[in-house]
Structures are given as structure tokens and as C-alpha cells.
Amino acid sequence: ILMVDEKGKNMKCLTFFLMLPETVKNRSKKSSKKGNSSSSSSKLPPVCYEIITLKTKKKKKMAAEIFPRKKPANTNTTAVQQYHQQNLNNNNTIPAPNWQGLYPTIRERNAVMFNNDLMADVHFVVGPPGGTQRLPGHKYVLAVGSSVFHAMFYGELAEDKDEIRIPDVEPAAFLAMLKYIYCDEIDLAADTVLATLYAAKKYIVPHLARACVNFLETSLSAKNACVLLSQSCLFEEPDLTQRCWEVIDAQAELALKSEGFCDIDFQTLESILRRETLNAKEIVVFEAALNWAEVECQRQEITATIENKRKVLGKALYLIRIPTMALDDFANGAAQSGILTLNETNDIFLWYTAAKKPELQFVSKPRKGLVPQRCHRFQSCAYRSNQWRYRGRCDSIQFAVDKRVFIAGFGLYGSSCGSAEYSAKIELKRQGVILGQNLSKYFSDGSSNTFPVWFEYPVQIEPDTFYTASVILDGNELSYFGQEGMTEVQCGKVTVQFQCSSDSTNGTGVQGGQIPELIFYA
């Protein structure tokens, strides 16, 4: 209670402390024993009080000015950080009194309970034997976030267990799922995202599962496409499966040579070997299958002999289209690998050379592969007596697409003065980083047609990001050049945008110049 003396300069602040009911009752009894009247016994003195004298100016101040509210950001930051660290470490520190006042929203207060033993009414022993971690949980929060947990704790067949063992989920993945349920935060990492997806699927947390799939799709590459294909089939994620096939088809040789290919299961191996649109040489497919067989022998704890490799491959060996190999590839590779029987080797040699071809167990029809698409950015082309000349200068253009594609090469103009040969160094960059390059030669016949120059492997291009396509040509003859360039071209289902590049030093730009075509798979 604030008491202000209008004449004086002092202010007295009386702070009263409430008496407990039990104390009032006891004092009433003592008063009645002494013979006091009921009126006197009701006028009980306060338990205690404190008088504080404050000096003030003549101007009166409001209570809010005398006792300003402290800024929560300054006082609470340290405490909040401590609780967050506690949740990560699970050190089970009991929060300070009135910890609830540190957090303005129910979401933040609920997040304090994440991985916290405070008020925990269930514990999970997560992980395989020898790698377990004991994690606290709160049944109500878990039941709100997952129908599986709801059935586990509040369903008709609910079991009242204080500790639940989960040997098939990794602790880091389970923690990531709990963090989403408690904190409404998605924290994914490349090395645990598959395990987190498994946990989200198992406990039916669909939004977290969708976030995991999106994470996998954005990080998808030739190095992990085969493993993700295997997992996407296991998790029944058709969209992710389709994305994996797109990468495997377009960058088949990179995918088959990756370490992840050897980690796939037998069913996924068969599906890849059956693939009609696999864009790879058959010798690469054959070598990849042998590498997988060697690792599979290790998984089965058997010696990786020729016989055992063939045994683990089983009928999948005949899905390799050995008769479609180039004769040199077969003679120097498959025929000398030892994986084929003598009769199979002889029959395949006869298949190459004899008019009457023997019957083979191997598929003899070549794969269809992928048909490349061409995005042509000029409406016409021309030539002049002093253009387009090459003296080691760079022709460059920037482009962006609205869907993921795989750039296989560029289409380039050739000589305008008859037949000629050019040396071409092509390059593809993103923000200055080289993603692909190749040095090759091509022969032009003097026409205004474009001539393809290929990268060693197709380069994956992500949507809504500008990439720089460059070429340095070396040739004595003048060439055709493009005119009436377009800033946007619709090529099938893909929209391509073009803009000028600062790397271009030979005159190529959006309106005219070289690099008339982008060759890609989509």
C-alpha cells in the first residue's frame, strides 16, 4: 500500500504479508482463552510488515514509474538458454521456481519438457542392445502428437508401463521426432534423416514424414539415389521413388559406380537391372553388379569367390544385357571376368559373329535409354564476313529452369565456310563452382545445323537457380551465330530462362551469339 504525505517529501510503502488460515485459527483460540471479546479477537495484528522510506521529487510518480517492469529479454535469455541446453543434454536439472514465467507462449513452455525428466510419466529405452539411450516422455504431450502414442497410453489396450523399449529406432531419430512433437521444430540431418523418416512412419507423424521426404528429395544425387530408391520402396513413398528413378536414369553410370549402389537389397538390384531407360553402357552395369555381389558375400559372411558371387547374383545375372555390349567391352571385360561359364562365353561370341545366332538366357535387346531434349534459344541464325570468329575467347550465357533437369551437353554452331573441325572446351558452373566440364572436338559440315558436344556425365540442375554455360572454341574458320534470342523458352514441360553472363568475352548474349542449344534429360 503506497501512502503519500502531501506536505512532506517522503513516501511510506507498507508491505503486508498474508496470514495463513491455520495461523489465524490458532491465534483466535489463544485470544478466546485470555477472555478477550469477539470484537477484539477479530482485530488481529499483521504477522509482519516492512516500512521502506523512499526519497522522491515534488512531482508525483505512478507506481509503474516507481517499480518499472524489467525487460524479459535481458533477464530471461540466460535462463532460457540453460533450459534449452538442459533439454539437449538431458541432465535432469530441476527448473528454478516460476520457470513458467520465463516463456510467454504455451509452445515455449511445452518445449521445456522436451527430453526433460520434470513431470515425466514414462521413459523410453531407445536403440539396439549396446547402443541404447533412456529418454523421458510425457504421455499427454506424446498422445496429442501421435495417434500411435494415444493408443499406447489411452487406448482400450493401453498398458501402464513406466518404461518402454524401442530397439528398432535410433536414439537420434527418436529425439528428432520428440523435438517435433514437443517443440514444433523440424531438425533434420543427412546422416539421420532416413532413421527419422522410419520413426515418423512408425508412430504416424505425417508432417514430420513429409518434411523428411522433402529433405531427401532436395539432397538427392547420383551418389545416394540407389539407396534412397531402396528406402523409398520400403517406406511406400511413390513421389520419392519417382525422383530417384529420374536421377538413376539420367546419371546411371555415376549412380552405378557409387558406394551406395552396393548397399541396396536384392529386390532393388533386380529392378535397376531390368530398367529399360537406364542411360549407361552395359559394361558399366556388368561391373556394378559384380561389385554388389562382392559386398553381398561380405554381408552373408562368405568368401567372395567367383562361384559365390554368381550364387548371390542368382537369376539377376541374366538381367545384364551382355550381348548388347560392344565387342571390345565383352572380350576384354565380361569374357575374362570368370563369372560366365565356358558355354555362355562361347555362345555370346557366336552371337556377335555367326549368321545363325544361338539362343541365350541373357536379354539381347538393347536398353532404350533416355531421349535427350533440346532447348533452342534463337529464332534464326546468320553469318557475316567478319563474324563469328574464335581466338580463345569465351562464349557464355546464364540460364535457369523451373524443374530439375540433367544437362548432357550443348548444341554449337559450326563453320559457315565449308567443312571444318573445332576444339571445344565446355563448362557448367553455379555461383563460380564448376559442376562439369569436358574438352572434345566436333566436325561441322558447313551447314547452319547445330552440333552436339557432350559432358562426360550429365550434370544435375536444380530449379530456380541460375547456372552459367560456357564454351571456348578453337578453330580457324568463321561460324554461324544465332539471332533474335529469347529470354524464355518452353521446352516440353520445362521452362528455361536466359540472361547475359559476365563471363562472356566473345560477344555471346541473350540476343545473339553461340551456345544456341541446351541438351538435357528431364
Side-chain angles (χ1 to χ4, degrees):
I1 301 174
L2 298 179
M3 301 179 65
V4 181
D5 187 352
E6 295 180 354
K7 297 181 180 180
K9 298 182 180 180
N10 294 332
M11 174 188 298
K12 292 181 180 179
C13 175
L14 300 181
T15 305
F16 291 90
F17 294 87
L18 296 176
M19 289 186 297
L20 298 173
E22 192 65 30
T23 305
V24 177
K25 182 179 180 181
N26 293 336
R27 290 195 173 194
S28 298
K29 289 179 180 178
K30 290 180 182 179
S31 300
S32 62
K33 289 179 180 180
K34 291 180 181 180
N36 295 336
S37 64
S38 60
S39 61
S40 63
S41 64
S42 62
K43 297 179 180 179
L44 296 173
V47 177
C48 64
Y49 65 89
E50 181 181 5
I51 300 177
I52 303 174
T53 303
L54 302 175
K55 291 184 178 181
T56 63
K57 297 180 181 180
K58 291 184 179 180
K59 182 181 177 181
K60 297 179 181 179
K61 290 188 177 181
M62 301 298 292
E65 296 177 281
I66 299 171
F67 304 105
R69 186 176 63 180
K70 296 180 180 180
K71 295 182 179 180
N74 295 335
T75 58
N76 296 347
T77 301
T78 303
V80 171
Q81 290 176 346
Q82 288 176 351
Y83 289 135
H84 285 174
Q85 189 62 40
Q86 168 197 329
N87 293 348
L88 293 175
N89 298 336
N90 192 19
N91 55 26
N92 301 325
T93 303
I94 299 176
N98 194 29
W99 61 267
Q100 295 89 341
L102 299 174
Y103 303 91
T105 66
I106 184 63
R107 175 180 173 273
E108 293 173 287
R109 292 191 290 275
N110 198 55
V112 176
M113 296 294 100
F114 164 59
N115 199 20
N116 195 332
D117 265 318
L118 180 66
M119 296 186 286
D121 51 2
V122 67
H123 284 79
F124 301 95
V125 180
V126 186
T132 59
Q133 187 173 346
R134 194 170 187 266
L135 303 173
H138 307 79
K139 292 181 179 180
Y140 168 75
V141 179
L142 296 170
V144 170
S146 163
S147 59
V148 175
F149 283 128
H150 181 272
M152 185 185 300
F153 300 135
Y154 302 105
E156 295 180 357
L157 302 178
E159 296 182 11
D160 189 16
K161 291 183 178 180
D162 294 332
E163 189 172 274
I164 300 173
R165 295 188 176 274
I166 308 176
D168 59 329
V169 178
E170 295 180 11
F174 196 79
L175 271 173
M177 182 181 68
L178 291 185
K179 187 172 185 180
Y180 171 75
I181 293 175
Y182 278 81
C183 312
D184 201 24
E185 295 178 10
I186 297 176
D187 187 10
L188 300 175
D191 55 344
T192 59
V193 63
L194 280 173
T196 305
L197 176 59
Y198 174 76
K201 287 280 188 176
K202 178 177 180 179
Y203 292 98
I204 311 180
V205 187
H207 296 290
L208 178 60
R210 185 68 250 171
C212 291
V213 172
N214 291 338
F215 183 94
L216 291 171
E217 288 181 355
T218 56
S219 60
L220 184 61
S221 67
K223 294 181 180 180
N224 59 18
C226 295
V227 173
L228 294 183
L229 174 68
S230 177
Q231 296 297 321
S232 66
C233 296
L234 176 65
F235 295 136
E236 298 181 350
E237 287 289 343
D239 291 341
L240 180 58
T241 300
Q242 179 59 30
R243 299 291 183 275
C244 292
W245 277 126
E246 290 173 1
V247 175
I248 293 172
D249 282 342
Q251 296 181 302
E253 295 193 1
L254 286 176
L256 294 172
K257 292 178 180 179
S258 68
E259 294 182 3
F261 178 79
C262 296
D263 296 330
I264 62 177
D265 58 277
F266 183 77
Q267 184 177 359
T268 305
L269 173 71
E270 284 188 310
S271 64
I272 292 176
L273 296 182
R274 284 195 182 96
R275 191 74 174 172
E276 277 288 336
T277 49
L278 211 58
N279 200 36
K281 295 179 181 178
E282 207 62 31
I283 186 62
V284 176
V285 179
F286 176 80
E287 292 172 349
L290 290 189
N291 292 335
W292 179 91
E294 184 173 352
V295 176
E296 181 63 18
C297 288
Q298 297 174 7
R299 282 193 286 264
Q300 297 185 17
E301 298 181 350
I302 57 178
T303 307
T305 61
I306 296 297
E307 293 76 14
N308 286 337
K309 288 181 183 180
R310 180 165 180 131
K311 180 180 178 181
V312 297
L313 281 172
K315 294 182 179 180
L317 177 64
Y318 298 109
L319 298 176
I320 305 172
R321 308 188 182 193
I322 295 178
T324 67
M325 291 182 185
L327 181 57
D328 288 345
D329 289 340
F330 173 72
N332 297 317
Q336 299 186 39
S337 66
I339 202 74
L340 303 177
T341 65
L342 183 59
N343 288 337
E344 288 171 343
T345 304
N346 289 337
D347 286 346
I348 294 173
F349 268 120
L350 289 174
W351 175 269
Y352 282 109
T353 58
K356 185 178 179 181
K357 300 184 183 300
E359 292 186 2
L360 301 175
Q361 288 183 278
F362 295 92
V363 179
S364 57
K365 184 180 178 181
R367 301 180 195 272
K368 295 179 180 178
L370 291 177
V371 178
Q373 300 184 43
R374 294 176 179 246
C375 176
H376 197 92
R377 66 188 188 95
F378 294 125
Q379 299 182 64
S380 64
C381 67
Y383 69 92
R384 298 193 183 101
S385 59
N386 60 345
Q387 290 182 336
W388 203 264
R389 191 178 296 278
Y390 307 102
R391 295 173 181 173
R393 292 190 292 263
C394 179
D395 289 287
S396 182
I397 192 71
Q398 287 192 333
F399 69 94
V401 294
D402 63 343
K403 294 182 180 180
R404 174 182 287 167
V405 300
F406 302 86
I407 296 293
F410 305 146
L412 302 177
Y413 285 122
S415 171
S416 58
C417 304
S419 301
E421 186 179 65
Y422 291 90
S423 173
K425 179 183 178 181
I426 59 174
E427 194 173 76
L428 194 58
K429 295 188 296 185
R430 177 182 179 181
Q431 297 178 349
V433 178
I434 297 176
L435 304 178
Q437 61 182 359
N438 197 20
L439 179 63
S440 62
K441 294 183 178 181
Y442 69 96
F443 183 82
S444 72
D445 57 7
S447 68
S448 60
N449 297 329
T450 58
F451 302 91
V453 179
W454 307 94
F455 289 105
E456 184 178 4
Y457 301 110
V459 181
Q460 182 170 310
I461 302 297
E462 297 299 330
D464 305 321
T465 301
F466 273 95
Y467 293 77
T468 302
S470 303
V471 60
I472 297 177
L473 290 170
D474 186 13
N476 295 327
E477 300 295 339
L478 297 173
S479 79
Y480 288 91
F481 60 91
Q483 296 184 132
E484 301 177 279
M486 296 174 284
T487 57
E488 183 174 303
V489 179
Q490 187 70 34
C491 189
K493 296 181 179 180
V494 180
T495 302
V496 186
Q497 293 180 324
F498 294 96
Q499 69 180 22
C500 293
S501 169
S502 59
D503 292 347
S504 187
T505 58
N506 199 42
T508 290
V510 173
Q511 297 300 319
Q514 261 285 10
I515 318 180
E517 286 181 340
L518 299 178
I519 306 174
F520 64 93
Y521 302 115

